[in-house]
Amino acid sequence: MSSFGGQMAEYPTISIDRFDRENLRARAYFLSHCHKDHMKGLRAPTMKRRLECSLKVFLYCSPVTKELLLTNPKYRFWETRIVSLEIDTPTQIPLIDEASGKKDEVVVTLLPAGHCPGSVMFLFQGDNGTVLYTGDFRLAKGEAVRMELLHSGGRVKDIQSVYLDTTFCDPKYYQIPSREECLNGILELVRSWITRSPFHVVWLNCKAAYGYEYLFTNLSEEFGVQVHVDKLDMFRNMPDILHHLTTDRSTQIHACRHPQAEEYFQWSKLPCGMTSKNRNPLHVISIKPSTMWFGERTRKTNVIVRTGESSYRACFSFHSSYSEIKDFMSYICPVNVYPNVIPVGATVDKVVEILKPLCRSSQSTEPKYKPLGKLKRVKTTHLDSEEEEDVDLFDDSPPVPLRHKVPNQPALHPEVFPVIVTSQNQSEKPRQSTGCFKEESLQISLMANYVDCQESNSEGEEELDSLASLQGAVDPETPQQPPQQQSDVDVPQWEVFFKRNNDITDDGLENVPSSTEAGASQSPRLFSDSDGESTHISSQNSSQSTHISEQGSQGWDSQSDTVLLPSQERNCSDTSVNKGSYRPRTKENILASQQEQNILCPTKPCSDLKSGDPDVNIVPGVAEATTLSGGKHTPEEKGLLSYSTKTDSQSSSDFEIPSTPDAELPKQEHLQYFYEKLATGENIIVGRNTKAHS
DNA sequence: GCGATCAGCT
DNA sequence: CACAGCTGATCGC
């Protein structure tokens, strides 16, 4: 849960994701996504009064967030005061002090955060430097590299501070299986069940929050079965989600909820009350998406773990893992980092201790190789001042035209412009292109996931497993009763998925973690812990071992009650996570869509541009940049960037990552690098790529 | 009657 | 298994 107070040191007159206390005086508000813990004070009477008195204060968020927010009547009073900003479109925001009339400005860019529909990060640029507020995010390793607007002049921007989602900034979450792996695990489990008969149904035991939509849409797409939910009107303008949901209970996939759902489930009753269909009793399994549950496990597990006769845990996360956070940070390499979340059992100091070494001031003067960064055009190698004083250098690289879009409500808020933010921005100081990227091996996804799992964090909320009920469970280290073929029809065929422990290629398993986590990957992957014997010791470093003792008290005897499914199948068909383009279908967006396809002529001249550039030449520049946005990249670049899943540049998926800016044809040595990676089976090009070409 | 806060529960 | 909520009790306005 976010404990961010709402204000950033650099831009204290704006408030983000907090709307109470001192934030009531902010000159502009920003909402990163529609989760309640980021909306504190947003519907309070004090805020309502503030709006009535201050007519120039607005809330800025993504179009999807605006849509989701306004679906709730409690927030309707914001309706005329929300400005939705397109993703990846630098926009100038006026910051007006209504008492004194003083006016400042800041340029904000929304970057996709991959956390839930509409979720974004905010990149602010202005007189006090460039800062990034991540909100909550899940970005896979290397995704920051492909974010065009994090770059300038072929390099990552000079970022002063990052306000970071540190939810899983704890080595126990060192590795969380990728979205695709988790999704595929769930897909296969669901497939194994619902294909048995029309009366076999699954209940996805999801929390009441946005973030599971891509799971629903992928399941629906894969099986041609809509997902039953309690409410769907918030998606009324998001057909890519809406079409996969239903309020009709007669479907085989349910994500409905009820306060007594767990009790219902004991009696094969779905939360919506269904127990039978056409007088045939339903056979229900529950699948509970979890992250922390997996994080607590010290032994390797799969992305799917059976916790009871009909109960499963599925690994699922909408926050970045420890290693994803570190990858992100070491690429961004800011001067400062401020954690937005202090995980339980941790302290600010602990978290900062982990992150500070990834910041610039901590970097050794010795340049480090930055493999992916080298794909970008490296124009000049400035001697980077390791000290971050106000060296007011100018970036002399030519302005890079960036994609451009118009604001959604140009008429409503004439002062808000999309602007070209180039390296001319004074806050952009050149930085040495040899960055802080630490290469870590990324082989996990290539490892066999057919692994044993013997822990059962059982707290009673799962079914209590009698031994008999475990007949499906496979535990290589515990002698098994031969499976009794009772109710066979009610248990998925584990044999299909499970491979014996000795099928694992153990060579991929890591050794002991080193505290110098330079190159070698760490062992505590959530589901491929080192094998066996000594593993009561969590493979993390000892400072992290607090949970071990608790763990020990949970009883290993009860840990044989889990069954796993392989996650594998990364290349599995078309389970694209990026499929949903959650753009609300509103008038303004349709307009924007059309404009994106055409040459863009902003309706308002950017007379107020702060770049101090009275030169309105910026407008043709905009038009030109936008023209390119339909096909921003040359064919060569497209080929190079093929790991960017989307070809449809018109849809703004929440999980879509823009392509690398300024990419050029790889040089021989770069190719060599990739070839080596590929040869060693490393997951350098994210798996979706394979699909894009298949 | 509403909101804020907290315990308890997923 | 504190991912993001909900409900219900209590207290203050």
Side-chain angles (χ1 to χ4, degrees):
Chain A
M1 293 268 178
S2 175
S3 56
F4 179 67
Q7 292 168 309
M8 303 182 297
E10 293 83 357
Y11 297 101
T13 65
I14 67 182
S15 284
I16 317 170
D17 288 355
R18 281 294 289 269
F19 309 90
D20 56 351
R21 303 163 165 275
E22 62 268 28
N23 299 297
L24 284 162
R25 293 190 289 272
R27 300 186 192 178
Y29 294 102
F30 295 83
L31 178 62
S32 68
H33 65 287
C34 238
H35 278 165
K36 290 285 193 309
D37 58 323
H38 290 252
M39 296 160 63
K40 200 163 185 220
L42 191 57
R43 43 161 284 199
T46 42
M47 177 56 80
K48 198 170 181 179
R49 248 174 280 134
R50 167 80 211 278
L51 285 191
E52 285 157 7
C53 302
S54 313
L55 296 175
K56 293 191 171 175
V57 69
F58 292 92
L59 172 68
Y60 302 91
C61 62
S62 71
V64 169
T65 295
K66 177 180 179 181
E67 180 78 14
L68 297 177
L69 188 69
L70 293 180
T71 304
N72 187 335
K74 301 263 172 54
Y75 298 98
R76 267 315 143 64
F77 69 90
W78 275 102
E79 188 149 16
T80 60
R81 310 294 286 275
I82 303 184
V83 180
S84 66
L85 304 175
E86 284 299 316
I87 306 278
D88 290 338
T89 307
T91 307
Q92 186 165 305
I93 306 294
L95 304 174
I96 301 163
D97 178 23
E98 286 179 78
S100 68
K102 266 184 59 183
K103 181 177 169 186
D104 293 325
E105 275 145 3
V106 69
V107 170
V108 68
T109 307
L110 279 54
L111 304 171
H115 175 71
C116 70
S119 67
V120 294
M121 310 192 285
F122 293 113
L123 181 70
F124 295 96
Q125 294 165 279
D127 289 339
N128 300 326
T130 299
V131 298
L132 177 68
Y133 173 85
T134 69
D136 286 348
F137 74 98
R138 178 153 196 203
L139 295 175
K141 191 182 281 264
E143 280 188 296
V145 183
R146 300 199 296 277
M147 288 189 172
E148 186 171 342
L149 288 140
L150 273 180
H151 297 82
S152 172
R155 297 181 287 269
V156 68
K157 282 177 176 166
D158 175 8
I159 292 174
Q160 180 68 21
S161 298
V162 171
Y163 297 81
L164 184 73
D165 172 16
T166 45
T167 300
F168 292 139
C169 192
D170 178 326
K172 85 165 82 159
Y173 303 107
Y174 186 86
Q175 182 70 60
I176 297 171
S178 70
R179 241 188 256 285
E180 290 83 355
E181 284 176 280
C182 296
L183 183 57
N184 288 333
I186 296 172
L187 282 174
E188 293 317 308
L189 173 55
V190 170
R191 185 196 313 283
S192 77
W193 191 249
I194 67 171
T195 53
R196 292 175 165 236
S197 87
F199 313 107
H200 284 75
V201 301
V202 303
W203 169 45
L204 303 167
N205 184 356
C206 298
K207 302 254 159 83
Y210 297 119
Y212 300 99
E213 291 73 16
Y214 83 83
L215 175 58
F216 302 159
T217 56
N218 278 281
L219 284 164
S220 164
E221 191 129 312
E222 181 76 13
F223 304 115
V225 169
Q226 288 176 311
V227 178
H228 178 244
V229 295
D230 300 319
K231 279 189 69 200
L232 42 65
D233 56 308
M234 60 283 235
F235 302 119
R236 62 183 179 264
N237 291 315
M238 294 173 234
D240 296 308
I241 296 177
L242 188 67
H243 290 155
H244 297 291
L245 305 179
T246 180
T247 50
D248 177 357
R249 301 185 304 165
S250 65
T251 174
Q252 280 179 283
I253 306 179
H254 289 251
C256 41
R257 293 180 299 111
H258 186 278
Q260 275 89 50
E262 304 279 350
E263 290 98 288
Y264 279 33
F265 176 67
Q266 299 290 112
W267 303 101
S268 290
K269 189 175 183 179
L270 288 164
C272 55
M274 289 269 284
T275 54
S276 63
K277 196 160 100 185
N278 304 335
R279 298 196 302 143
N280 292 289
L282 295 178
H283 306 282
V284 188
I285 59 169
S286 84
I287 304 174
K288 189 168 187 171
S290 319
T291 312
M292 297 190 167
W293 187 87
F294 283 83
E296 292 303 320
R297 306 181 77 84
T298 57
R299 313 195 76 171
K300 58 191 173 191
T301 70
N302 206 308
V303 296
I304 303 289
V305 173
R306 190 178 184 211
T307 55
E309 188 172 12
S310 315
S311 304
Y312 301 83
R313 290 275 185 165
C315 188
F316 189 95
S317 177
F318 29 73
H319 292 272
S320 273
S321 68
Y322 181 79
S323 63
E324 285 165 347
I325 292 171
K326 297 218 310 178
D327 174 73
F328 181 77
M329 278 294 292
S330 52
Y331 185 73
I332 302 296
C333 208
V335 175
N336 306 303
V337 61
Y338 303 99
N340 289 347
V341 180
I342 305 307
V344 271
T347 62
V348 188
D349 292 347
K350 272 278 182 210
V351 178
V352 171
E353 199 177 302
I354 292 170
L355 298 168
K356 207 59 191 174
L358 307 174
C359 293
R360 218 174 311 163
S361 45
S362 314
Q363 295 298 311
S364 73
T365 52
E366 180 189 337
K368 287 182 187 132
Y369 184 46
K370 188 178 191 173
L372 291 174
K374 284 202 71 176
L375 274 178
K376 306 188 171 304
R377 180 182 306 140
V378 179
K379 201 176 175 332
T380 43
T381 312
H382 292 276
L383 267 197
D384 187 18
S385 36
E386 224 39 65
E387 29 73 29
E388 56 288 321
E389 299 322 323
D390 298 309
V391 219
D392 204 19
L393 301 175
F394 289 96
D395 187 336
D396 54 1
S397 54
V400 183
L402 292 179
R403 166 166 39 170
H404 248 53
K405 297 172 186 168
V406 282
N408 281 327
Q409 299 103 323
L412 233 181
H413 311 290
E415 291 193 276
V416 179
F417 301 108
V419 296
I420 289 187
V421 180
T422 67
S423 42
Q424 297 151 345
N425 187 318
Q426 60 86 248
S427 64
E428 280 311 305
K429 297 161 199 157
R431 258 177 58 199
Q432 193 172 334
S433 66
T434 60
C436 343
F437 190 95
K438 279 184 195 157
E439 188 191 347
E440 295 173 71
S441 45
L442 2 103
Q443 67 307 55
I444 33 112
S445 54
L446 292 179
M447 296 188 37
N449 280 329
Y450 306 101
V451 284
D452 60 322
C453 168
Q454 293 139 346
E455 299 173 78
S456 104
N457 316 39
S458 65
E459 306 267 326
E461 114 258 352
E462 325 268 10
E463 295 173 55
L464 288 184
D465 297 313
S466 66
L467 265 180
S469 74
L470 296 177
Q471 39 105 353
V474 184
D475 179 352
E477 294 186 10
T478 307
Q480 291 280 308
Q481 299 297 328
Q484 303 137 24
Q485 290 305 325
Q486 55 153 127
S487 68
D488 177 51
V489 71
D490 284 308
V491 180
Q493 292 160 355
W494 306 112
E495 312 75 37
V496 175
F497 303 106
F498 183 79
K499 282 196 179 171
R500 285 267 152 195
N501 202 23
N502 55 17
D503 286 342
I504 301 175
T505 51
D506 269 336
D507 51 8
L509 295 175
E510 297 305 322
N511 23 16
V512 196
S514 59
S515 47
T516 77
E517 43 195 2
S521 74
Q522 309 292 290
S523 62
R525 297 184 204 99
L526 283 185
F527 56 98
S528 55
D529 236 343
S530 77
D531 198 2
E533 309 72 82
S534 60
T535 12
H536 238 192
I537 309 252
S538 123
S539 38
Q540 289 100 36
N541 44 51
S542 52
S543 67
Q544 279 335 105
S545 57
T546 48
H547 63 290
I548 293 171
S549 53
E550 304 163 13
Q551 214 285 326
S553 67
Q554 290 177 4
W556 287 88
D557 303 357
S558 65
Q559 297 188 354
S560 57
D561 59 357
T562 51
V563 167
L564 11 130
L565 282 175
S567 67
Q568 271 326 344
E569 277 84 272
R570 267 172 322 291
N571 47 355
C572 168
S573 59
D574 43 16
T575 57
S576 169
V577 163
N578 288 358
K579 242 171 217 162
S581 38
Y582 305 143
R583 163 180 297 209
R585 191 161 280 178
T586 58
K587 228 188 321 174
E588 57 223 30
N589 284 328
I590 289 166
L591 175 65
S593 253
Q594 290 163 347
Q595 283 167 328
E596 278 167 48
Q597 298 170 47
N598 302 312
I599 296 184
L600 231 192
C601 290
T603 51
K604 278 264 173 183
C606 302
S607 54
D608 208 352
L609 277 183
K610 107 108 151 292
S611 38
D613 222 336
D615 186 1
V616 200
N617 276 346
I618 203 162
V619 173
V622 167
E624 189 176 342
T626 310
T627 310
L628 289 175
S629 82
K632 289 181 298 291
H633 301 284
T634 66
E636 294 87 348
E637 287 167 338
K638 276 227 159 106
L640 180 66
L641 299 171
S642 60
Y643 47 80
S644 171
T645 0
K646 276 287 202 173
T647 52
D648 175 9
S649 67
Q650 289 158 40
S651 58
S652 74
S653 159
D654 292 293
F655 302 110
E656 175 188 6
I657 305 300
S659 312
T660 308
D662 308 321
E664 60 184 11
L665 276 176
K667 297 208 176 63
Q668 187 52 44
E669 60 267 31
H670 302 151
L671 286 171
Q672 186 63 35
Y673 168 78
F674 282 116
Y675 292 152
E676 284 167 13
K677 289 280 175 193
L678 288 168
T680 55
E682 291 185 73
N683 185 13
I684 187 166
I685 296 174
V686 185
R688 316 169 196 155
N689 184 24
T690 56
K691 176 175 43 200
H693 288 297
S694 59

